[in-house]
Structures are given as C-alpha cells and as structure tokens.
Amino acid sequence: MSTKVLICDDSRIARKQLAKVLPNDWNVEIEFAENGQDALQQIAAASFDILFLDLNMPVKDGYETLEALQGVAGAPVVIVVSGDVQPKAIERVKAMGAAAFHKKPASSEDIRELLLDLDLLTQQNQLTQPVSRPHETAAESFSLQDTLQEVSNIAMGRAASALAEMLNVFIKLPVPQVNILEVSELQMALEYSVKEDSCSAVAQGFVGSGIAFEALLIFNDSSFPDMAQLLGMSQDYSRESETELLMDVSSVLVGPFMSAVGKQLNIDFSHGHPTLLGQHVKISDLINVKKTTWKRTLAVEIVYEVENYQINCDLMLLFTEDSVPTLEHLLSFLAEDEE
Amino acid sequence: MSNQADGLADFHWMFDLLHHIDVGLVVLDQEYRVQLWNSFMENHSGVSSSIAKQQSIFSIFSDLDADWLKQKIDNVFGLKTPIYISWEQRPYLFEFKCYRPLTSIADNMYQNVAIRPISGPDGRIKQVCLVVYDVTDVATNKMAFDAVRQQS
C-alpha cells in the first residue's frame, strides 16, 4: 500500500527539492500545497499519512497549520522542514505536535535516516524496484526571484538563529521579498518598511565572483530601548552605545546570512567594514536617490521582529545592476542541481 | 627535496607578507593568548612579537575593557561570525600614537577592528584574528565635516 505524502512549502524550489530527496524505493503518492491554508484544505478533502511542513509561509504559516491540525482526527504525521533553525522554533513545533524537525535543505540521506527513525519507512511500504520521483511539473523553469527568495529564506533562518542565540529570544521570520526596483521605488519601499520618522542604519559591502551588493540594516529608532535592555545596557545609554548596539546586531545578522548565501552559491565573499550610514535620520536622507548613479537594483528585503519586544529591523540586500546576470547564471545552476 | 624547499619558500614570503602588511594582525586562542603579533602591532605598541606571544592580550594592554572585549571575542567563537568594531563606537581599541604626529590633527590612531573566526584543518574555530585598520584620516575628515555642518 502506498503512503500518501503532502509537501507544503511556499517555494516551488523547496517543494521540488524535497520531493526529489524522498527515498526512491519508498512507495508514496506525493501531493503539493503552497501554504498552510492549501494544505489544510487538501487534508480535509483526502486523508494523508505524512505532511512535510515549512514554517515561514504567507496566508497561513507552519505554526498556524500545526495549531489547526491539533484535534483533527486522522491528522497526518507532521515533519517540519524549515530554514528557521532557532532552538526555540524547534521546541515550539515539537510542542505543537510535530513528529520531527529537519533543517532546510535536507539531503536524501538525512530524509532516509529521519524516516527510518520515525518508523515511517518500513519493509511493507518499500518498493522492490526503485522509481524516479515525479516532479511537480516536468519542464519547469525557475525565475531568478524564486531561487533567490529560497536562498535568502535559508540564509535568513541561520542569521536569526545566531541572533536568537546571542540574545536568548525568539525571532519572528517573515517571507523574504525579492524585487527588481527602480531608484524611485527603492525610496518608496524603504519608507513603507520603516514606518517611523527616524531610523538608524548600517551598510556593509560584499563582493565576490562578479557579484557586488550592499547589505543595509535599518533600525527603527523605537527599537533602541528594548534592544539596549536585551543587551544589558544601562537605562541612560549614550549615542556611542547605540552605535555599538547597531554594529553588534548588524555583525550578527549580516555575517551568518552572508556565509549561508555564500555557501549556497559557492562564493567566498569579501566583506567590507560596516559603515554607519546615519543615526536618527529620516529614511529619505539615508539614501539620496538624486545622487545615485544606478537606475535599477535587485533587492531582497527581510523584516526581522523579536517576539515580546519592541524590536523591528529591516535587512535589505541591494545588488548592483551588473551583478544580476551573473547571479542569474549562478542561481540557474542551483535550480538545475535540484532536478 | 626541491618540493620541500619550495614549500618553505612559500611559507617564508607569506609570513613576510603578514608581518609587513599595513594593518594590525593579532591571532588569539580561546584563552585570549597571543598566537600571532605582526610588525604593525610590534611597531605601534613597542611590544615585540617574542614578548607578546603566549601572553594574554589583557596583560599586554592593561587599559583594555576586558569584560567588553571578552564578550565580543566569545561571540565570535560561539556564533562563528565576524564582529566589527567601528571607530564611531570607540575611537580606538589599542592606544597607539597617530602615524603622522606632525601633519595630522589627531593624537591617537582611530581604528576600525574586525574580529574574525579562524577555522582549523578540522573546520573548528579555535582561534580568532583581530584585524586593526588605521582610519585616522577618514575619522578626522568626517568629524571636521560634521562640525562644519553643525555650524551652518
């Protein structure tokens, strides 16, 4: 008898990658869902044995899905596969009924071992003749945006985990946004994400293998009191200690993020020293669009929030125009690898 | 035999390079003991490499804020990520005289410092490297610029 498996992830690449690494001697029928809502609908319509569940998704995320599954009779065994590797995330999903947690991307050996551990891959449901796994659709091409979003998603989980470890808190992770922006749109995007009048920012440059970009960490100024408290600074902290705080948070968020991106793309980036772009300035003064020479940029935007604290910071990666073709080329290899 | 000689020659010029590059390089182990101390550090601090080696960085520079720096270094070991210290948060980590005492307006060298994890052959992080950049010119220019902007 075949086992019915549902793979739920908002990224097409992640869905496809996971379907590919399932043991090919495992007698399974695979279905896909794009978010928690979609998965729950499919589970209500037909019974599934196993649900592979991502955590950070739009519409309904993994936590909400786990919550909704509690009390559902005949609910599938849930294996969370996520880029968010914070110990608290793992603890939380297990408390919510997930059978196991695995970090993204999982290899076929990892998955086999996990399934054996959970007693889900048994003699009864093994095929004598291994099959090649069907992909979601046969000739699928991934856009630069899709691939970069998934790469960022994995990298962001690593960065949040580093920050969470340093501060002993839980970082809420949203889905990273990947867009090609015109100069004028960048200003709008920044103003939209930073809702307050004043903010502080650190910029750091990266270059490697024909790809150049800046990582911009923008802090809402109202985040400072809580951040200072978390780092154990005294109440009357000075402007210098604010700078210190900014530099520390940017080191801890940007460093692991970049090494995770670099690892996936196989590039050892050179890091510039981070620079303080501005302290307590208006977002419009941060990047003066009139002075810029570039027209369009590829931007990845990630908003980090710390649970139970008034802390909100925005990480933006801005790629230079001439990096885009190279990046596209490298990412296409990555998408192909997963075929 | 010739291969061995080549290897030794490579090692020699690399060592020479590390020593005479115009940035400060200090390698520390997990007990904050100095493993490498290049000429930049020797010349600016007046402490020779042979004296610095195996000593704790905190006994060489007694004025360092030990708790503060230890936490930074421990984070680099723990999180395996570089951590940066900018002259804007602390004008300098090591108290060195300015390179150009006659034509520069600064008394001390302003420094940007990067603390980087160094991985061993087994991939584990047992040492960190402090890279000290002299940014006196940048800092004095920036401060002069800010002063003018505040007046206008």
Side-chain angles (χ1 to χ4, degrees), chain A residues 162 165-166 204 240 243-244 247-248 251-252 255-256 271-276, chain B residues 68 72 75 78-79 81-86 88-90 112-113 116 133:
Chain A
E165 192 181 315
M166 182 171 123
Q204 191 174 10
E240 283 71 35
T243 316
E244 167 127 12
M247 296 296 289
D248 275 5
S251 296
V252 164
H271 305 203
H273 203 280
T275 318
L276 193 64
Chain B
W68 171 82
K72 292 259 184 296
N75 272 338
L79 304 172
T81 187
I83 285 186
Y84 300 89
I85 303 165
S86 145
E88 281 149 313
Q89 70 199 85
R90 280 194 185 224
N112 272 348
V113 180
R116 298 180 172 281
Y133 302 91

PDB file of all heavy atoms in Angstrom, chain A residues 162 165-166 204 240 243-244 247-248 251-252 255-256 271-276, chain B residues 68 72 75 78-79 81-86 88-90 112-113 116 133:
ATOM      1  N   ALA A 162      21.480  32.808  14.891  1.00  0.00           N
ATOM      2  CA  ALA A 162      22.649  33.404  15.549  1.00  0.00           C
ATOM      3  C   ALA A 162      22.220  34.520  16.496  1.00  0.00           C
ATOM      4  O   ALA A 162      22.679  34.598  17.630  1.00  0.00           O
ATOM      5  CB  ALA A 162      23.633  33.937  14.509  1.00  0.00           C
ATOM      6  N   GLU A 165      20.458  33.149  19.517  1.00  0.00           N
ATOM      7  CA  GLU A 165      21.402  32.545  20.454  1.00  0.00           C
ATOM      8  C   GLU A 165      22.103  33.613  21.286  1.00  0.00           C
ATOM      9  O   GLU A 165      22.270  33.468  22.489  1.00  0.00           O
ATOM     10  CB  GLU A 165      22.436  31.729  19.670  1.00  0.00           C
ATOM     11  CG  GLU A 165      23.272  30.832  20.533  1.00  0.00           C
ATOM     12  CD  GLU A 165      24.287  30.066  19.693  1.00  0.00           C
ATOM     13  OE1 GLU A 165      23.908  29.545  18.632  1.00  0.00           O
ATOM     14  OE2 GLU A 165      25.454  30.025  20.103  1.00  0.00           O
ATOM     15  N   MET A 166      22.452  34.711  20.618  1.00  0.00           N
ATOM     16  CA  MET A 166      23.141  35.793  21.322  1.00  0.00           C
ATOM     17  C   MET A 166      22.215  36.442  22.350  1.00  0.00           C
ATOM     18  O   MET A 166      22.633  36.768  23.445  1.00  0.00           O
ATOM     19  CB  MET A 166      23.634  36.827  20.321  1.00  0.00           C
ATOM     20  CG  MET A 166      24.409  37.963  20.929  1.00  0.00           C
ATOM     21  SD  MET A 166      25.174  38.975  19.667  1.00  0.00           S
ATOM     22  CE  MET A 166      24.485  40.565  20.055  1.00  0.00           C
ATOM     23  N   GLN A 204      26.977  47.544   4.686  1.00  0.00           N
ATOM     24  CA  GLN A 204      28.201  46.771   4.531  1.00  0.00           C
ATOM     25  C   GLN A 204      28.267  46.261   3.095  1.00  0.00           C
ATOM     26  O   GLN A 204      27.254  45.779   2.567  1.00  0.00           O
ATOM     27  CB  GLN A 204      28.208  45.610   5.524  1.00  0.00           C
ATOM     28  CG  GLN A 204      29.561  44.922   5.619  1.00  0.00           C
ATOM     29  CD  GLN A 204      29.608  43.868   6.705  1.00  0.00           C
ATOM     30  OE1 GLN A 204      28.582  43.503   7.294  1.00  0.00           O
ATOM     31  NE2 GLN A 204      30.798  43.354   6.975  1.00  0.00           N
ATOM     32  N   GLU A 240      27.035  56.678  21.674  1.00  0.00           N
ATOM     33  CA  GLU A 240      28.089  55.709  21.332  1.00  0.00           C
ATOM     34  C   GLU A 240      27.606  54.278  21.580  1.00  0.00           C
ATOM     35  O   GLU A 240      27.912  53.375  20.812  1.00  0.00           O
ATOM     36  CB  GLU A 240      29.370  55.967  22.139  1.00  0.00           C
ATOM     37  CG  GLU A 240      30.218  57.128  21.663  1.00  0.00           C
ATOM     38  CD  GLU A 240      29.563  58.472  21.946  1.00  0.00           C
ATOM     39  OE1 GLU A 240      28.894  58.600  22.991  1.00  0.00           O
ATOM     40  OE2 GLU A 240      29.703  59.386  21.105  1.00  0.00           O
ATOM     41  N   THR A 243      25.509  53.170  18.795  1.00  0.00           N
ATOM     42  CA  THR A 243      26.318  52.757  17.651  1.00  0.00           C
ATOM     43  C   THR A 243      26.821  51.339  17.862  1.00  0.00           C
ATOM     44  O   THR A 243      26.785  50.505  16.962  1.00  0.00           O
ATOM     45  CB  THR A 243      27.544  53.696  17.485  1.00  0.00           C
ATOM     46  OG1 THR A 243      27.110  55.015  17.658  1.00  0.00           O
ATOM     47  CG2 THR A 243      28.196  53.510  16.147  1.00  0.00           C
ATOM     48  N   GLU A 244      27.269  51.085  19.077  1.00  0.00           N
ATOM     49  CA  GLU A 244      27.780  49.769  19.432  1.00  0.00           C
ATOM     50  C   GLU A 244      26.718  48.688  19.209  1.00  0.00           C
ATOM     51  O   GLU A 244      26.969  47.632  18.643  1.00  0.00           O
ATOM     52  CB  GLU A 244      28.196  49.806  20.902  1.00  0.00           C
ATOM     53  CG  GLU A 244      28.450  48.443  21.472  1.00  0.00           C
ATOM     54  CD  GLU A 244      29.791  48.332  22.124  1.00  0.00           C
ATOM     55  OE1 GLU A 244      30.437  49.367  22.335  1.00  0.00           O
ATOM     56  OE2 GLU A 244      30.203  47.213  22.393  1.00  0.00           O
ATOM     57  N   MET A 247      26.136  48.126  15.521  1.00  0.00           N
ATOM     58  CA  MET A 247      27.233  47.367  14.913  1.00  0.00           C
ATOM     59  C   MET A 247      27.143  45.896  15.301  1.00  0.00           C
ATOM     60  O   MET A 247      27.357  45.010  14.475  1.00  0.00           O
ATOM     61  CB  MET A 247      28.594  47.922  15.359  1.00  0.00           C
ATOM     62  CG  MET A 247      28.890  49.329  14.927  1.00  0.00           C
ATOM     63  SD  MET A 247      29.014  49.530  13.150  1.00  0.00           S
ATOM     64  CE  MET A 247      30.539  48.693  12.830  1.00  0.00           C
ATOM     65  N   ASP A 248      26.823  45.632  16.561  1.00  0.00           N
ATOM     66  CA  ASP A 248      26.741  44.247  17.032  1.00  0.00           C
ATOM     67  C   ASP A 248      25.611  43.501  16.349  1.00  0.00           C
ATOM     68  O   ASP A 248      25.790  42.382  15.867  1.00  0.00           O
ATOM     69  CB  ASP A 248      26.523  44.204  18.547  1.00  0.00           C
ATOM     70  CG  ASP A 248      27.832  44.297  19.306  1.00  0.00           C
ATOM     71  OD1 ASP A 248      28.855  44.498  18.630  1.00  0.00           O
ATOM     72  OD2 ASP A 248      27.813  44.171  20.533  1.00  0.00           O
ATOM     73  N   SER A 251      26.506  42.905  12.751  1.00  0.00           N
ATOM     74  CA  SER A 251      27.510  41.834  12.599  1.00  0.00           C
ATOM     75  C   SER A 251      26.835  40.473  12.695  1.00  0.00           C
ATOM     76  O   SER A 251      27.087  39.574  11.903  1.00  0.00           O
ATOM     77  CB  SER A 251      28.557  41.896  13.700  1.00  0.00           C
ATOM     78  OG  SER A 251      29.303  43.075  13.628  1.00  0.00           O
ATOM     79  N   VAL A 252      25.967  40.352  13.683  1.00  0.00           N
ATOM     80  CA  VAL A 252      25.378  39.053  13.982  1.00  0.00           C
ATOM     81  C   VAL A 252      24.302  38.660  12.966  1.00  0.00           C
ATOM     82  O   VAL A 252      24.125  37.489  12.655  1.00  0.00           O
ATOM     83  CB  VAL A 252      24.829  39.067  15.425  1.00  0.00           C
ATOM     84  CG1 VAL A 252      23.895  37.925  15.664  1.00  0.00           C
ATOM     85  CG2 VAL A 252      25.987  39.006  16.398  1.00  0.00           C
ATOM     86  N   GLY A 255      26.534  38.740   9.052  1.00  0.00           N
ATOM     87  CA  GLY A 255      27.600  37.741   8.895  1.00  0.00           C
ATOM     88  C   GLY A 255      27.089  36.344   8.581  1.00  0.00           C
ATOM     89  O   GLY A 255      27.412  35.775   7.533  1.00  0.00           O
ATOM     90  N   PRO A 256      26.261  35.748   9.453  1.00  0.00           N
ATOM     91  CA  PRO A 256      25.759  34.394   9.180  1.00  0.00           C
ATOM     92  C   PRO A 256      24.883  34.337   7.925  1.00  0.00           C
ATOM     93  O   PRO A 256      24.903  33.350   7.203  1.00  0.00           O
ATOM     94  CB  PRO A 256      24.919  34.062  10.416  1.00  0.00           C
ATOM     95  CG  PRO A 256      25.410  34.966  11.473  1.00  0.00           C
ATOM     96  CD  PRO A 256      25.850  36.214  10.777  1.00  0.00           C
ATOM     97  N   HIS A 271      34.194  40.781   2.598  1.00  0.00           N
ATOM     98  CA  HIS A 271      33.330  41.695   3.341  1.00  0.00           C
ATOM     99  C   HIS A 271      34.052  43.020   3.517  1.00  0.00           C
ATOM    100  O   HIS A 271      35.203  43.027   3.890  1.00  0.00           O
ATOM    101  CB  HIS A 271      33.089  41.216   4.775  1.00  0.00           C
ATOM    102  CG  HIS A 271      32.550  39.836   4.902  1.00  0.00           C
ATOM    103  ND1 HIS A 271      31.874  39.423   6.008  1.00  0.00           N
ATOM    104  CD2 HIS A 271      32.576  38.778   4.077  1.00  0.00           C
ATOM    105  CE1 HIS A 271      31.516  38.166   5.863  1.00  0.00           C
ATOM    106  NE2 HIS A 271      31.936  37.746   4.703  1.00  0.00           N
ATOM    107  N   GLY A 272      33.347  44.112   3.313  1.00  0.00           N
ATOM    108  CA  GLY A 272      33.900  45.403   3.691  1.00  0.00           C
ATOM    109  C   GLY A 272      33.630  45.647   5.162  1.00  0.00           C
ATOM    110  O   GLY A 272      32.861  44.904   5.771  1.00  0.00           O
ATOM    111  N   HIS A 273      34.271  46.665   5.720  1.00  0.00           N
ATOM    112  CA  HIS A 273      33.951  47.006   7.109  1.00  0.00           C
ATOM    113  C   HIS A 273      32.602  47.718   7.107  1.00  0.00           C
ATOM    114  O   HIS A 273      32.372  48.565   6.266  1.00  0.00           O
ATOM    115  CB  HIS A 273      35.036  47.924   7.675  1.00  0.00           C
ATOM    116  CG  HIS A 273      35.108  47.888   9.170  1.00  0.00           C
ATOM    117  ND1 HIS A 273      34.248  48.596   9.949  1.00  0.00           N
ATOM    118  CD2 HIS A 273      35.910  47.205  10.002  1.00  0.00           C
ATOM    119  CE1 HIS A 273      34.537  48.354  11.226  1.00  0.00           C
ATOM    120  NE2 HIS A 273      35.547  47.510  11.290  1.00  0.00           N
ATOM    121  N   PRO A 274      31.691  47.366   8.026  1.00  0.00           N
ATOM    122  CA  PRO A 274      30.397  48.049   8.021  1.00  0.00           C
ATOM    123  C   PRO A 274      30.540  49.536   8.347  1.00  0.00           C
ATOM    124  O   PRO A 274      31.416  49.929   9.110  1.00  0.00           O
ATOM    125  CB  PRO A 274      29.601  47.330   9.115  1.00  0.00           C
ATOM    126  CG  PRO A 274      30.561  46.519   9.871  1.00  0.00           C
ATOM    127  CD  PRO A 274      31.794  46.352   9.071  1.00  0.00           C
ATOM    128  N   THR A 275      29.698  50.336   7.727  1.00  0.00           N
ATOM    129  CA  THR A 275      29.750  51.784   7.895  1.00  0.00           C
ATOM    130  C   THR A 275      28.431  52.272   8.470  1.00  0.00           C
ATOM    131  O   THR A 275      27.373  51.814   8.058  1.00  0.00           O
ATOM    132  CB  THR A 275      29.911  52.475   6.523  1.00  0.00           C
ATOM    133  OG1 THR A 275      30.848  51.748   5.770  1.00  0.00           O
ATOM    134  CG2 THR A 275      30.355  53.904   6.662  1.00  0.00           C
ATOM    135  N   LEU A 276      28.531  53.204   9.373  1.00  0.00           N
ATOM    136  CA  LEU A 276      27.330  53.810   9.932  1.00  0.00           C
ATOM    137  C   LEU A 276      26.793  54.801   8.899  1.00  0.00           C
ATOM    138  O   LEU A 276      27.430  55.789   8.577  1.00  0.00           O
ATOM    139  CB  LEU A 276      27.722  54.536  11.218  1.00  0.00           C
ATOM    140  CG  LEU A 276      26.614  54.978  12.135  1.00  0.00           C
ATOM    141  CD1 LEU A 276      25.849  53.782  12.677  1.00  0.00           C
ATOM    142  CD2 LEU A 276      27.207  55.788  13.276  1.00  0.00           C
TER     143      LEU A 276
ATOM    144  N   TRP B  68      34.133  43.753  28.231  1.00  0.00           N
ATOM    145  CA  TRP B  68      33.529  44.160  26.959  1.00  0.00           C
ATOM    146  C   TRP B  68      34.156  43.395  25.783  1.00  0.00           C
ATOM    147  O   TRP B  68      33.458  42.819  24.957  1.00  0.00           O
ATOM    148  CB  TRP B  68      33.712  45.680  26.806  1.00  0.00           C
ATOM    149  CG  TRP B  68      33.337  46.225  25.478  1.00  0.00           C
ATOM    150  CD1 TRP B  68      32.079  46.547  25.054  1.00  0.00           C
ATOM    151  CD2 TRP B  68      34.220  46.526  24.394  1.00  0.00           C
ATOM    152  NE1 TRP B  68      32.132  47.023  23.771  1.00  0.00           N
ATOM    153  CE2 TRP B  68      33.431  47.018  23.345  1.00  0.00           C
ATOM    154  CE3 TRP B  68      35.601  46.420  24.211  1.00  0.00           C
ATOM    155  CZ2 TRP B  68      33.970  47.412  22.120  1.00  0.00           C
ATOM    156  CZ3 TRP B  68      36.138  46.807  22.991  1.00  0.00           C
ATOM    157  CH2 TRP B  68      35.322  47.301  21.961  1.00  0.00           C
ATOM    158  N   LYS B  72      32.812  40.198  23.112  1.00  0.00           N
ATOM    159  CA  LYS B  72      32.872  40.271  21.646  1.00  0.00           C
ATOM    160  C   LYS B  72      33.584  39.026  21.099  1.00  0.00           C
ATOM    161  O   LYS B  72      33.115  38.391  20.165  1.00  0.00           O
ATOM    162  CB  LYS B  72      33.634  41.520  21.193  1.00  0.00           C
ATOM    163  CG  LYS B  72      32.942  42.820  21.486  1.00  0.00           C
ATOM    164  CD  LYS B  72      32.247  43.375  20.249  1.00  0.00           C
ATOM    165  CE  LYS B  72      31.634  44.738  20.491  1.00  0.00           C
ATOM    166  NZ  LYS B  72      30.558  44.798  21.467  1.00  0.00           N
ATOM    167  N   ASN B  75      31.601  35.891  21.474  1.00  0.00           N
ATOM    168  CA  ASN B  75      30.539  35.819  20.469  1.00  0.00           C
ATOM    169  C   ASN B  75      31.065  35.341  19.121  1.00  0.00           C
ATOM    170  O   ASN B  75      30.387  34.606  18.414  1.00  0.00           O
ATOM    171  CB  ASN B  75      29.855  37.181  20.302  1.00  0.00           C
ATOM    172  CG  ASN B  75      28.704  37.366  21.272  1.00  0.00           C
ATOM    173  OD1 ASN B  75      28.154  36.383  21.776  1.00  0.00           O
ATOM    174  ND2 ASN B  75      28.353  38.601  21.553  1.00  0.00           N
ATOM    175  N   GLY B  78      31.515  31.674  19.504  1.00  0.00           N
ATOM    176  CA  GLY B  78      30.236  30.996  19.643  1.00  0.00           C
ATOM    177  C   GLY B  78      29.410  31.024  18.370  1.00  0.00           C
ATOM    178  O   GLY B  78      28.843  30.013  17.970  1.00  0.00           O
ATOM    179  N   LEU B  79      29.351  32.189  17.755  1.00  0.00           N
ATOM    180  CA  LEU B  79      28.458  32.345  16.606  1.00  0.00           C
ATOM    181  C   LEU B  79      29.169  32.093  15.277  1.00  0.00           C
ATOM    182  O   LEU B  79      28.537  32.056  14.234  1.00  0.00           O
ATOM    183  CB  LEU B  79      27.842  33.751  16.602  1.00  0.00           C
ATOM    184  CG  LEU B  79      27.076  34.161  17.866  1.00  0.00           C
ATOM    185  CD1 LEU B  79      26.692  35.631  17.805  1.00  0.00           C
ATOM    186  CD2 LEU B  79      25.830  33.317  18.037  1.00  0.00           C
ATOM    187  N   THR B  81      30.938  33.989  13.490  1.00  0.00           N
ATOM    188  CA  THR B  81      30.709  35.069  12.537  1.00  0.00           C
ATOM    189  C   THR B  81      31.628  36.236  12.876  1.00  0.00           C
ATOM    190  O   THR B  81      31.956  36.435  14.041  1.00  0.00           O
ATOM    191  CB  THR B  81      29.227  35.509  12.585  1.00  0.00           C
ATOM    192  OG1 THR B  81      28.999  36.429  11.542  1.00  0.00           O
ATOM    193  CG2 THR B  81      28.841  36.140  13.902  1.00  0.00           C
ATOM    194  N   PRO B  82      32.114  36.979  11.858  1.00  0.00           N
ATOM    195  CA  PRO B  82      32.952  38.129  12.195  1.00  0.00           C
ATOM    196  C   PRO B  82      32.139  39.215  12.906  1.00  0.00           C
ATOM    197  O   PRO B  82      30.970  39.391  12.618  1.00  0.00           O
ATOM    198  CB  PRO B  82      33.456  38.629  10.839  1.00  0.00           C
ATOM    199  CG  PRO B  82      32.635  37.978   9.804  1.00  0.00           C
ATOM    200  CD  PRO B  82      32.017  36.767  10.417  1.00  0.00           C
ATOM    201  N   ILE B  83      32.765  39.895  13.830  1.00  0.00           N
ATOM    202  CA  ILE B  83      32.121  41.015  14.516  1.00  0.00           C
ATOM    203  C   ILE B  83      32.998  42.242  14.321  1.00  0.00           C
ATOM    204  O   ILE B  83      34.226  42.146  14.356  1.00  0.00           O
ATOM    205  CB  ILE B  83      31.894  40.670  16.016  1.00  0.00           C
ATOM    206  CG1 ILE B  83      30.714  39.690  16.090  1.00  0.00           C
ATOM    207  CG2 ILE B  83      31.639  41.923  16.850  1.00  0.00           C
ATOM    208  CD1 ILE B  83      30.254  39.345  17.474  1.00  0.00           C
ATOM    209  N   TYR B  84      32.355  43.365  14.049  1.00  0.00           N
ATOM    210  CA  TYR B  84      33.099  44.566  13.704  1.00  0.00           C
ATOM    211  C   TYR B  84      32.967  45.635  14.786  1.00  0.00           C
ATOM    212  O   TYR B  84      31.906  45.786  15.381  1.00  0.00           O
ATOM    213  CB  TYR B  84      32.582  45.130  12.385  1.00  0.00           C
ATOM    214  CG  TYR B  84      32.727  44.176  11.230  1.00  0.00           C
ATOM    215  CD1 TYR B  84      31.720  43.266  10.941  1.00  0.00           C
ATOM    216  CD2 TYR B  84      33.878  44.164  10.445  1.00  0.00           C
ATOM    217  CE1 TYR B  84      31.842  42.378   9.886  1.00  0.00           C
ATOM    218  CE2 TYR B  84      34.018  43.282   9.393  1.00  0.00           C
ATOM    219  CZ  TYR B  84      32.999  42.382   9.121  1.00  0.00           C
ATOM    220  OH  TYR B  84      33.132  41.504   8.078  1.00  0.00           O
ATOM    221  N   ILE B  85      34.059  46.337  15.015  1.00  0.00           N
ATOM    222  CA  ILE B  85      34.043  47.464  15.947  1.00  0.00           C
ATOM    223  C   ILE B  85      34.441  48.699  15.144  1.00  0.00           C
ATOM    224  O   ILE B  85      35.479  48.694  14.485  1.00  0.00           O
ATOM    225  CB  ILE B  85      35.039  47.248  17.102  1.00  0.00           C
ATOM    226  CG1 ILE B  85      34.721  45.932  17.834  1.00  0.00           C
ATOM    227  CG2 ILE B  85      35.017  48.420  18.062  1.00  0.00           C
ATOM    228  CD1 ILE B  85      35.838  45.464  18.739  1.00  0.00           C
ATOM    229  N   SER B  86      33.587  49.711  15.180  1.00  0.00           N
ATOM    230  CA  SER B  86      33.843  50.890  14.374  1.00  0.00           C
ATOM    231  C   SER B  86      34.424  52.004  15.226  1.00  0.00           C
ATOM    232  O   SER B  86      34.136  52.087  16.423  1.00  0.00           O
ATOM    233  CB  SER B  86      32.530  51.305  13.714  1.00  0.00           C
ATOM    234  OG  SER B  86      32.464  52.696  13.612  1.00  0.00           O
ATOM    235  N   GLU B  88      33.503  54.793  15.343  1.00  0.00           N
ATOM    236  CA  GLU B  88      32.428  55.654  15.822  1.00  0.00           C
ATOM    237  C   GLU B  88      31.886  55.189  17.182  1.00  0.00           C
ATOM    238  O   GLU B  88      31.356  55.986  17.929  1.00  0.00           O
ATOM    239  CB  GLU B  88      31.288  55.686  14.794  1.00  0.00           C
ATOM    240  CG  GLU B  88      31.626  56.612  13.644  1.00  0.00           C
ATOM    241  CD  GLU B  88      31.017  56.179  12.343  1.00  0.00           C
ATOM    242  OE1 GLU B  88      31.126  54.980  12.022  1.00  0.00           O
ATOM    243  OE2 GLU B  88      30.448  57.014  11.655  1.00  0.00           O
ATOM    244  N   GLN B  89      32.023  53.896  17.473  1.00  0.00           N
ATOM    245  CA  GLN B  89      31.576  53.449  18.782  1.00  0.00           C
ATOM    246  C   GLN B  89      32.686  53.569  19.830  1.00  0.00           C
ATOM    247  O   GLN B  89      32.430  53.829  20.999  1.00  0.00           O
ATOM    248  CB  GLN B  89      30.984  52.032  18.725  1.00  0.00           C
ATOM    249  CG  GLN B  89      31.959  50.915  18.466  1.00  0.00           C
ATOM    250  CD  GLN B  89      31.301  49.647  17.976  1.00  0.00           C
ATOM    251  OE1 GLN B  89      31.064  49.488  16.794  1.00  0.00           O
ATOM    252  NE2 GLN B  89      31.015  48.741  18.886  1.00  0.00           N
ATOM    253  N   ARG B  90      33.918  53.333  19.401  1.00  0.00           N
ATOM    254  CA  ARG B  90      35.116  53.527  20.228  1.00  0.00           C
ATOM    255  C   ARG B  90      36.176  54.084  19.316  1.00  0.00           C
ATOM    256  O   ARG B  90      36.481  53.441  18.311  1.00  0.00           O
ATOM    257  CB  ARG B  90      35.646  52.178  20.725  1.00  0.00           C
ATOM    258  CG  ARG B  90      34.881  51.707  21.858  1.00  0.00           C
ATOM    259  CD  ARG B  90      35.472  50.602  22.625  1.00  0.00           C
ATOM    260  NE  ARG B  90      34.399  50.344  23.569  1.00  0.00           N
ATOM    261  CZ  ARG B  90      34.549  50.128  24.844  1.00  0.00           C
ATOM    262  NH1 ARG B  90      35.731  50.032  25.352  1.00  0.00           N
ATOM    263  NH2 ARG B  90      33.526  49.968  25.623  1.00  0.00           N
ATOM    264  N   ASN B 112      39.323  50.985  13.042  1.00  0.00           N
ATOM    265  CA  ASN B 112      38.232  50.047  12.814  1.00  0.00           C
ATOM    266  C   ASN B 112      38.824  48.667  13.083  1.00  0.00           C
ATOM    267  O   ASN B 112      39.958  48.399  12.675  1.00  0.00           O
ATOM    268  CB  ASN B 112      37.757  50.073  11.355  1.00  0.00           C
ATOM    269  CG  ASN B 112      36.689  51.110  11.112  1.00  0.00           C
ATOM    270  OD1 ASN B 112      36.121  51.670  12.057  1.00  0.00           O
ATOM    271  ND2 ASN B 112      36.400  51.362   9.855  1.00  0.00           N
ATOM    272  N   VAL B 113      38.079  47.826  13.770  1.00  0.00           N
ATOM    273  CA  VAL B 113      38.613  46.496  14.085  1.00  0.00           C
ATOM    274  C   VAL B 113      37.620  45.422  13.649  1.00  0.00           C
ATOM    275  O   VAL B 113      36.411  45.549  13.902  1.00  0.00           O
ATOM    276  CB  VAL B 113      38.883  46.346  15.606  1.00  0.00           C
ATOM    277  CG1 VAL B 113      39.430  44.964  15.931  1.00  0.00           C
ATOM    278  CG2 VAL B 113      39.856  47.413  16.079  1.00  0.00           C
ATOM    279  N   ARG B 116      37.638  38.211  13.436  1.00  0.00           N
ATOM    280  CA  ARG B 116      37.188  37.138  12.551  1.00  0.00           C
ATOM    281  C   ARG B 116      37.482  35.758  13.129  1.00  0.00           C
ATOM    282  O   ARG B 116      38.550  35.541  13.689  1.00  0.00           O
ATOM    283  CB  ARG B 116      37.933  37.212  11.210  1.00  0.00           C
ATOM    284  CG  ARG B 116      37.688  38.455  10.451  1.00  0.00           C
ATOM    285  CD  ARG B 116      38.468  38.436   9.129  1.00  0.00           C
ATOM    286  NE  ARG B 116      38.048  39.564   8.342  1.00  0.00           N
ATOM    287  CZ  ARG B 116      36.911  39.584   7.647  1.00  0.00           C
ATOM    288  NH1 ARG B 116      36.141  38.514   7.626  1.00  0.00           N
ATOM    289  NH2 ARG B 116      36.565  40.649   6.984  1.00  0.00           N
ATOM    290  N   TYR B 133      42.529  48.272  11.526  1.00  0.00           N
ATOM    291  CA  TYR B 133      42.739  49.205  10.419  1.00  0.00           C
ATOM    292  C   TYR B 133      42.927  50.607  10.972  1.00  0.00           C
ATOM    293  O   TYR B 133      42.188  51.029  11.863  1.00  0.00           O
ATOM    294  CB  TYR B 133      41.519  49.235   9.495  1.00  0.00           C
ATOM    295  CG  TYR B 133      41.140  47.902   8.887  1.00  0.00           C
ATOM    296  CD1 TYR B 133      40.234  47.056   9.523  1.00  0.00           C
ATOM    297  CD2 TYR B 133      41.688  47.500   7.666  1.00  0.00           C
ATOM    298  CE1 TYR B 133      39.874  45.840   8.967  1.00  0.00           C
ATOM    299  CE2 TYR B 133      41.328  46.283   7.103  1.00  0.00           C
ATOM    300  CZ  TYR B 133      40.428  45.452   7.756  1.00  0.00           C
ATOM    301  OH  TYR B 133      40.068  44.250   7.200  1.00  0.00           O
TER     302      TYR B 133
END
